[in-house]
């Protein structure tokens, strides 16, 4: 599993305690009625900047389950306003547009 890093605009900045819990893991409700809750965690989370009404977080995941970031933050009543993947493994995505591809070489690793 390659690390995936995201910059996430949220409705409020989480507290230090909430971020520690996100790293330790939280039990999130199932996506489909009747399924079991899932244990999910962030490899790393930190506040990049805060504004009057929103904040930006840097979130690193090892797995990348469906809607994982949104589901974890929802357990803390934090709404995701925008989510942008900025890195996969050692490769920063830079100005790469959705659907656009870039040739990689071993020199980039």
């Amino acid at each position: 599993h390659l690390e995936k890093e995201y910059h996430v605009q949220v409705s409020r900045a989480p507290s230090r305690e909430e971020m520690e819990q996100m790293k330790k893991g939280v039990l999130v409700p199932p996506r489909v009625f009747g399924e079991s809750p899932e244990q999910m965690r962030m490899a790393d989370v930190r506040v990049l900047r805060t504004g009057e009404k929103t904040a930006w977080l840097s979130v690193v995941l090892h797995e990348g389950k469906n809607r994982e970031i949104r589901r974890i933050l929802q357990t803390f009543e934090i709404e995701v306003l925008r989510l942008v993947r900025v890195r996969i493994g050692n490769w920063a995505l830079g100005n790469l547009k959705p659907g656009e591809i870039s040739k990689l070489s071993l020199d980039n690793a």
Side-chain angles (χ1 to χ4, degrees):
H1 298 284
L2 292 175
E3 273 189 354
K4 294 161 206 76
E5 182 178 357
Y6 300 84
H7 288 177
V8 186
Q9 185 181 26
V10 292
S11 57
R12 69 170 178 86
S15 68
R16 184 172 293 144
E17 293 80 17
E18 288 173 325
M19 288 190 291
E20 285 304 315
Q21 189 61 48
M22 290 173 197
K23 289 190 253 185
K24 288 179 184 172
V26 295
L27 201 58
V28 299
R31 290 184 50 229
V32 178
F33 181 76
E35 290 185 356
S36 300
E38 289 183 74
Q39 183 76 18
M40 294 183 174
R41 69 179 207 83
M42 296 176 177
D44 190 34
V45 58
R46 60 187 171 85
V47 176
L48 294 174
R49 62 182 176 270
T50 58
E52 285 184 35
K53 297 183 180 185
T54 65
W56 280 90
L57 308 177
S58 171
V59 174
V60 176
L61 300 178
H62 285 160
E63 290 191 55
K65 294 179 182 175
N66 189 282
R67 302 179 65 82
E68 185 172 8
I69 294 172
R70 294 176 193 276
R71 293 171 68 196
I72 292 171
L73 291 170
Q74 185 179 7
T75 65
F76 296 94
E77 297 181 355
I78 299 174
E79 181 183 1
V80 172
L81 305 173
R82 188 162 180 224
L83 189 142
V84 180
R85 185 166 43 203
V86 296
R87 180 175 60 86
I88 300 173
N90 293 330
W91 294 283
L93 301 181
N95 295 325
L96 205 59
K97 305 286 186 257
E100 189 176 12
I101 61 172
S102 177
K103 188 173 184 174
L104 298 176
S105 71
L106 293 176
D107 296 334
N108 296 27

